[in-house]
């Protein structure tokens, strides 16, 4: 009778050991798999901002590594080009003469918004590994009616804050990550810009 009980206990011990090892393996896999933040719903954002939101993503390349990530920041840029609109900026990303790996997620002008890289993927825009890895890069066009372009960007930023649960303290300038004087048209009035973003956010 004693021998039977020992075998029974041994079998239970092995079952428990297998269960624990399986559980540890599953936890390890879960820790290695990065979550994929939800993509933007085009019709929803168009309804909020009031202008077309075009998803026109570039193919995977040096500009678009295709690596998914968490979203922690919104990084604001100016295009530093007084003649280009959103469509021109998007087209330049895939122009064969553009050999740089520099990129961004979204570009905004007075009439439309274009998403060139999915927001849940890395883009090379911030000049630092942290900004690139965790930040949504938003380029604001300087051509045309710039005040309207900036207003569109403010609405977009407030929407993204709510959608991805990003605090106002993590809406930053390009300069914050790299030291570059960007967004060059907003830096001197950054506090006022952030106040407008906060006001828009509170309106949701």
């Amino acid at each position: 009778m004693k021998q039977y009980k020992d075998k029974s206990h041994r079998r239970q011990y092995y079952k428990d050991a297998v269960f624990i090892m399986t559980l540890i393996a599953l936890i390890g896999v879960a820790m290695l798999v990065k979550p994929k933040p939800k993509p933007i719903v085009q019709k929803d954002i168009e309804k909020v901002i009031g202008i077309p939101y075009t998803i026109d993503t570039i193919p995977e390349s040096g500009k678009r590594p295709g690596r998914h990530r968490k979203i922690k920041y919104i990084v604001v840029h100016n295009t530093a080009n007084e003649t280009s609109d959103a469509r021109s900026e998007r087209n330049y990303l895939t122009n064969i003469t553009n050999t740089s790996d520099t990129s961004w997620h979204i570009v905004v002008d007075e009439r439309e918004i274009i998403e060139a890289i999915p927001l849940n993927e890395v883009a090379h825009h911030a000049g630092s590994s942290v900004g690139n890895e965790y930040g949504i890069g938003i380029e604001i066009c300087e051509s045309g009616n710039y005040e309207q372009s900036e207003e569109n960007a403010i609405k977009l930023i407030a929407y993204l804050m709510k959608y991805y649960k990003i605090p106002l303290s993590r809406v930053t300038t390009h300069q914050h990550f790299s030291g570059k004087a960007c967004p060059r048209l907003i830096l001197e009035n950054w506090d006022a810009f952030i106040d407008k973003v906060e006001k828009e956010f509170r309106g949701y």
Side-chain angles (χ1 to χ4, degrees), residues 7-42:
K7 287 181 179 180
S8 175
H9 291 164
R10 195 178 299 118
R11 283 196 297 270
Q12 186 61 47
Y13 171 81
Y14 287 139
K15 286 181 181 179
D16 291 345
V18 169
F19 173 77
I20 292 170
M21 291 174 66
T22 302
L23 185 61
I24 292 171
L26 289 172
I27 292 172
V29 170
M31 292 177 67
L32 289 173
V33 175
K34 291 186 176 181
K36 297 179 182 180
K38 55 187 178 179
I40 285 294
V41 179
Q42 189 174 359

Side-chain angles (χ1 to χ4, degrees), residues 38-135:
K38 55 187 178 179
I40 285 294
V41 179
Q42 189 174 359
K43 64 179 182 178
D44 291 347
I45 198 168
E46 287 180 337
K47 183 178 179 180
V48 169
I49 300 176
I51 60 173
Y53 185 97
T54 303
I55 298 176
D56 186 8
T57 52
I58 65 175
E60 290 190 9
S61 62
K63 292 179 176 65
R64 180 188 171 187
R67 188 168 72 253
H68 290 86
R69 49 60 178 283
K70 293 181 180 179
I71 297 173
K72 298 182 180 180
Y73 297 94
I74 296 172
V75 186
V76 183
H77 306 253
N78 280 130
T79 59
N81 187 328
E82 296 178 353
T83 62
S84 67
D85 58 11
R87 177 47 57 186
S88 299
E89 291 289 334
R90 162 59 186 84
N91 290 344
Y92 184 62
L93 284 180
T94 49
N95 188 307
I96 59 172
T97 65
N98 181 2
T99 58
S100 170
D101 285 344
T102 301
S103 56
W104 38 262
H105 292 95
I106 303 174
V107 62
V108 185
D109 69 17
E110 61 189 301
R111 295 181 301 273
E112 72 171 326
I113 300 170
I114 301 176
E115 179 184 311
I117 295 178
L119 307 191
N120 58 5
E121 293 184 16
V122 170
H124 298 146
H125 61 92
S128 81
S129 57
V130 173
N132 292 339
E133 184 71 27
Y134 299 114

